[in-house]
């Protein structure tokens, strides 16, 4: 047995039927040329043959569970690979819609704590001849960023590579990593997992003494700068309610070239354009339902705080800030501008703090979610923000698995009490992949958000290009 850090145990302690605490991902593959009708079966057999398990993917919470949760990991030497790698076929007609319906059902079920907490579903029967892989892993084992890194390491940029690597095999993380992509100089979304921010604050030590002036500085900026968005300025929406355990998952790809063209023409960042897409889509979606508030929605987002885009040492300067989404504005150009100013204001404030002070202020922005778990708290005050819009880094070039081309990577994240919808974005070659995970009972017709995202991007293109 090995000691379980409190930061792992907290995700187990917070889990309930209404709040599954695993992250997931859906991948779409085009089989290689000449692949026969049994290709997907061979994919499953190749995966199941990988019976050697790394230490991380071979552990489960050990008994007993105390009043403060789990304190130890227990190791499992052998796994039933038929249980962990599951082969499924979609019902006809095998549309993406049927795939999303199935993923929604898989994503809402709890993982078995008596086994290592992960599973993989290989899906055939798509009408276009492709196959899909949906995997999920408990947040106590890996976060969304780490899960995607494992997936990327199992892939190859060589279509002739037939090694068939899997995320659970020993030594995968020690493989030579692909060359790091050129730094994003447009201020785009950065690798960041909001749920991990709070658990990093324990190392503040001497910086704690600097938190009072830092807090006063943030409060003063919030008072003086009308563009700065602080927690609890968000309106109540249908997203900010108690949630159930049922989930709805939808996803879509958008060309990074289209988004970059708007960015260049508007003098904005990739991050700004993505938030403007989300703001426009959520405005249209809520208006359809007659639920659009007069006050703009806000989102908790990660932003780069680098002062110098060429400063390699400062590349980890990332903060969790709250930004407006401009949902109170009908014009796309105005919406993008207020979003841009909101993010600039947050970056300006955070840029005057030390890295650990930034971390602590970021944690304070997120901490407003905690009271939502108290019975009867929802509706007592404004939500700290209306939703989380975050990003995980994916592959920046064409990738393959045993010759099959990776067409899409769509993150499935964790809705939270009072945060019934989550939007997570992943880069994949020259696409941005949007994954939307929502409480099925609180957020109706989630697929409409996907259609509105396309409309919002088209509206930005008409305004700026």
């Amino acid at each position: 047995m090995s000691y379980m850090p409190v930061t792992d145990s907290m995700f187990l302690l917070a889990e309930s039927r209404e709040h599954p605490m695993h992250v997931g991902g859906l991948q779409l593959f085009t089989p290689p040329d000449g692949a026969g009708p049994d290709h997907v079966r061979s994919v499953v057999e190749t995966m199941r043959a990988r019976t050697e398990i790394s230490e991380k993917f071979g552990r489960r919470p050990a008994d007993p569970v105390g009043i403060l949760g789990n304190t130890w990991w227990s190791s499992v030497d052998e796994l039933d690979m038929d249980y962990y790698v599951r082969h499924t076929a979609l019902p006809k007609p095998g549309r993406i819609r049927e795939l999303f319906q199935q993923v929604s059902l898989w994503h809402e079920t709890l993982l078995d704590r008596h086994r290592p907490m992960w599973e993989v579903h290989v899906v055939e029967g798509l009408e276009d001849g492709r196959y899909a892989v949906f995997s999920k892993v408990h947040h106590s084992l890996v976060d969304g960023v780490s899960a995607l890194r494992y997936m990327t390491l199992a892939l190859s940029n060589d279509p002739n590579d037939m090694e068939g690597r899997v995320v659970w095999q020993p030594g995968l993380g020690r493989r030579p990593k692909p060359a790091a992509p050129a730094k994003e100089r447009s201020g785009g979304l950065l690798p960041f997992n909001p749920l991990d921010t709070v658990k990093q604050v324990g190392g503040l030590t001497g910086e704690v003494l600097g938190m009072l002036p830092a807090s006063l500085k943030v409060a003063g900026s919030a008072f003086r700068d009308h563009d700065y968005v602080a927690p609890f300025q968000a309106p109540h929406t249908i997203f900010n309610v108690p949630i159930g355990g049922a989930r709805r998952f939808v996803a879509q790809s958008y060309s990074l070239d289209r988004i970059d063209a708007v960015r260049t023409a508007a003098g904005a960042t990739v991050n700004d354009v993505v938030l403007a897409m989300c703001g426009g889509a959520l405005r249209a979606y809520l208006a359809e339902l007659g639920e659009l508030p007069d006050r703009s929605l806000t989102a908790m987002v990660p932003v780069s705080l680098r002062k110098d885009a060429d400063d390699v040492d400062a590349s980890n300067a990332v903060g969790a800030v709250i930004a407006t989404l401009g949902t109170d504005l009908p014009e796309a150009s105005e919406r993008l501008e207020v979003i841009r100013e909101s993010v600039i204001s947050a970056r300006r404030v955070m840029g005057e703090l030390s890295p650990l002070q930034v971390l602590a202020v970021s944690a304070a922005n997120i901490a407003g979610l905690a009271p939502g778990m108290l019975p009867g708290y929802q509706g007592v005050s404004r939500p700290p923000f209306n939703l989380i819009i975050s990003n995980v880094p994916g592959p920046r070039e064409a990738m393959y698995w045993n010759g099959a081309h990776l067409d899409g990577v769509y993150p499935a994240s964790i809705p939270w009490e009072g945060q019934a919808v989550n939007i997570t974005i992943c880069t994949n070659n020259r696409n941005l992949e949007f994954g939307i995970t929502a409480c099925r009972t609180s957020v109706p017709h989630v697929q409409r958000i996907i259609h509105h995202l396309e409309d919002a991007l088209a509206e930005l293109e008409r305004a700026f290009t």
Side-chain angles (χ1 to χ4, degrees), residues 167-205:
V167 298
W168 58 86
Q169 71 184 59
L172 184 69
R174 294 190 295 272
R175 287 183 60 230
K177 292 181 174 60
K183 284 189 179 296
E184 173 71 72
R185 302 202 180 188
S186 56
L189 291 172
L190 291 179
F192 182 80
N193 187 347
L195 291 173
D196 287 336
T197 302
V198 176
K199 71 183 186 182
Q200 299 177 55
V201 181
L204 290 178
T205 59

Side-chain angles (χ1 to χ4, degrees), residues 383-401:
F385 39 82
N386 296 110
L387 73 160
I388 294 173
I389 302 175
S390 59
N391 172 267
V392 288
R396 292 297 187 95
E397 58 184 327
M399 301 295 282
Y400 303 84
W401 192 87

Side-chain angles (χ1 to χ4, degrees), residues 73-87:
W73 287 111
S74 176
S75 296
V76 177
D77 295 328
E78 295 184 7
L79 297 184
D80 177 359
M81 298 310 296
D82 287 350
Y83 176 88
Y84 282 94
V85 181
R86 307 177 187 185
H87 189 182

Side-chain angles (χ1 to χ4, degrees), residues 17 20 22 26 86 88-91 96-111 119 121 134-136 245-250 412 436-440:
R17 175 63 190 90
H22 53 255
L26 174 66
R86 307 177 187 185
T88 304
L90 289 178
I96 292 296
R97 178 176 180 177
E98 277 78 42
L99 177 61
F100 288 164
Q101 289 174 342
Q102 188 59 63
V103 168
S104 300
L105 295 174
W106 286 328
H107 196 53
E108 70 186 36
T109 58
L110 297 173
L111 289 161
E119 60 190 41
H121 301 261
F134 175 73
S135 56
K136 67 181 189 180
R247 296 288 176 264
R248 187 75 172 93
F249 172 79
V250 295
I436 303 176
T437 312
C439 169
R440 194 181 194 103

